[in-house]
Amino acid sequence: MDAPNLHRRLRKIIGQVQAIDRMVDEDIPCEDVLSQISAAKTALHRCGQIALEGHIRHCVRDGIEHGDAEKTIESFTKAVERFSNMGR
Amino acid sequence: MDAPNLHRRLRKIIGQVQAIDRMVDEDIPCEDVLSQISAAKTALHRCGQIALEGHIRHCVRDGIEHGDAEKTIESFTKAVERFSNMGR
Amino acid sequence: MDAPNLHRRLRKIIGQVQAIDRMVDEDIPCEDVLSQISAAKTALHRCGQIALEGHIRHCVRDGIEHGDAEKTIESFTKAVERFSNMGR
Amino acid sequence: MDAPNLHRRLRKIIGQVQAIDRMVDEDIPCEDVLSQISAAKTALHRCGQIALEGHIRHCVRDGIEHGDAEKTIESFTKAVERFSNMGR
């Protein structure tokens, strides 16, 4: 996994959710709160994509070294399924 | 908006994202990281739903008091659209 | 519900899915098949939004006529929840 | 791509959308229409997942034969991104 990239993104997401938490007490239009929630959701989804891509890359490099296609495919299939089922 | 409910949920989400941030440096299987990202995304989506429901309720109570259906409908249509377009 | 609008959209979606079905046998890059699946999914989601908006509008008009806010809110809450939980 | 599996699923989805099209003219509760739209969306999403998995498998088998990790990774990255950005 691309750790520095994920850390940077996750810390930004924490800031976004803290900002949403403050918006709840202020007189902010509902649609603006929803826009911020949407942005945080999309940012989390992108973290999932980065984690998945890093994992598949790792599996492929490892697989080409060892030459076992079936074992390589097996090593990332569960992560692809988990990513595909990520929350709405 | 149901502020105490949203605050409680948003603070829990901050804890979830902090936990994901720690997982990145540990030797956690990718699919487990994806499960946690999925849980945080779903929790954010539910906050959006709660904000939208509170907003429509407010608009309907206000609208029934004033008796103007078109103005009432207009007052929540933008929020429904924004909710519908919330990030993947 | 805005029936003519929904019929037009749903019939277009049927055409999109038939086109995807044909793409499977042709030598089409995977990412192009995924783009078409994405377009059909977004179009279905939009039909859900149109059905929901039409339903809430109907409930609000009915509610303002009868003046019962709680009953009006109850009449669309289940549909908002169902829409919110629509498939990924 | 697993063509027979995809054909079977896509034809079932066409039947689902045709059923939704009929529901619009009948006196079906909005939440039931939304449930059927949700089912069709989830089924389309799953077709995307099957197409992506088949594509990555193909790329990995090909890559292990030719031994070029970077080229292999490049061959499926675009499809992973496209899948990740599939419509809500």
Side-chain angles (χ1 to χ4, degrees):
Chain A
M1 274 186 268
D2 184 353
N5 186 0
L6 284 172
H7 283 310
R8 195 170 36 78
R9 288 172 179 273
L10 289 163
R11 278 155 201 180
K12 197 183 155 193
I13 292 166
I14 291 168
Q16 287 175 301
V17 181
Q18 286 169 333
I20 297 165
D21 192 49
R22 285 190 299 271
M23 289 172 90
V24 169
D25 292 325
E26 293 161 15
D27 203 23
I28 309 272
C30 178
E31 50 264 32
D32 294 346
V33 177
L34 293 175
S35 291
Q36 294 310 307
I37 292 176
S38 177
K41 272 189 69 188
T42 302
L44 269 172
H45 185 85
R46 181 98 175 103
C47 287
Q49 184 190 328
I50 290 165
L52 177 71
E53 286 175 344
H55 179 65
I56 304 181
R57 273 195 191 100
H58 171 83
C59 294
V60 166
R61 286 208 186 88
D62 208 61
I64 284 178
E65 211 173 298
H66 296 91
D68 188 339
E70 290 319 306
K71 217 185 133 191
T72 305
I73 288 163
E74 202 194 317
S75 66
F76 63 71
T77 299
K78 208 172 162 183
V80 171
E81 274 172 24
R82 202 64 64 92
F83 179 73
S84 176
N85 291 331
M86 280 214 316
R88 21 195 136 277
Chain B
M1 277 186 265
D2 184 353
N5 186 1
L6 283 172
H7 283 310
R8 195 170 35 77
R9 288 173 180 272
L10 289 163
R11 279 155 200 182
K12 197 182 155 194
I13 292 165
I14 291 168
Q16 288 176 301
V17 181
Q18 288 169 332
I20 297 164
D21 192 49
R22 285 190 298 273
M23 288 172 89
V24 169
D25 293 324
E26 294 162 17
D27 202 22
I28 309 271
C30 178
E31 51 264 34
D32 294 345
V33 177
L34 293 175
S35 291
Q36 294 310 308
I37 292 175
S38 177
K41 270 188 70 187
T42 302
L44 270 172
H45 184 84
R46 180 100 176 100
C47 287
Q49 185 190 329
I50 290 166
L52 178 71
E53 286 175 345
H55 180 64
I56 304 182
R57 272 195 192 100
H58 171 82
C59 294
V60 167
R61 285 209 186 87
D62 208 60
I64 283 179
E65 210 172 300
H66 296 92
D68 187 340
E70 291 320 305
K71 217 186 134 191
T72 305
I73 287 162
E74 200 195 319
S75 66
F76 62 72
T77 298
K78 209 172 161 182
V80 170
E81 273 171 25
R82 202 65 65 90
F83 179 73
S84 177
N85 292 333
M86 280 212 315
R88 15 198 139 277
Chain C
M1 276 188 268
D2 183 354
N5 187 1
L6 283 172
H7 282 310
R8 194 171 35 78
R9 288 173 181 272
L10 288 163
R11 279 156 200 181
K12 195 180 157 197
I13 292 165
I14 290 168
Q16 287 175 302
V17 181
Q18 288 169 332
I20 297 164
D21 193 49
R22 284 189 299 271
M23 288 171 91
V24 168
D25 292 324
E26 294 161 16
D27 203 21
I28 308 272
C30 177
E31 51 264 31
D32 294 346
V33 177
L34 293 175
S35 291
Q36 295 309 308
I37 292 176
S38 177
K41 271 188 70 187
T42 301
L44 269 172
H45 185 84
R46 181 99 175 101
C47 287
Q49 184 190 328
I50 289 165
L52 178 71
E53 286 176 345
H55 180 64
I56 303 182
R57 273 196 192 100
H58 172 83
C59 293
V60 166
R61 286 210 186 87
D62 208 61
I64 283 178
E65 210 172 301
H66 295 91
D68 188 340
E70 291 319 306
K71 217 186 133 190
T72 305
I73 288 162
E74 202 194 317
S75 65
F76 62 71
T77 299
K78 208 172 163 182
V80 171
E81 275 172 24
R82 203 63 66 89
F83 179 73
S84 177
N85 292 332
M86 280 212 317
R88 24 198 131 275
Chain D
M1 275 188 268
D2 183 353
N5 186 2
L6 283 172
H7 283 310
R8 194 170 35 78
R9 288 173 180 272
L10 289 164
R11 280 157 199 181
K12 195 181 156 194
I13 291 165
I14 291 168
Q16 287 175 301
V17 181
Q18 287 169 332
I20 296 164
D21 193 49
R22 284 190 299 271
M23 288 172 90
V24 168
D25 292 325
E26 293 162 17
D27 201 22
I28 308 272
C30 178
E31 50 264 32
D32 294 346
V33 177
L34 293 175
S35 291
Q36 295 310 307
I37 292 175
S38 177
K41 271 188 69 187
T42 302
L44 270 172
H45 185 84
R46 181 98 176 101
C47 288
Q49 184 190 329
I50 289 165
L52 178 71
E53 286 176 344
H55 179 64
I56 304 181
R57 273 197 191 99
H58 171 83
C59 293
V60 167
R61 287 211 184 85
D62 207 61
I64 284 179
E65 212 173 299
H66 296 92
D68 188 340
E70 292 318 306
K71 217 185 133 190
T72 306
I73 288 163
E74 201 195 319
S75 66
F76 62 72
T77 298
K78 208 172 162 182
V80 171
E81 273 171 25
R82 201 64 65 93
F83 179 73
S84 177
N85 291 333
M86 279 211 318
R88 8 186 150 284

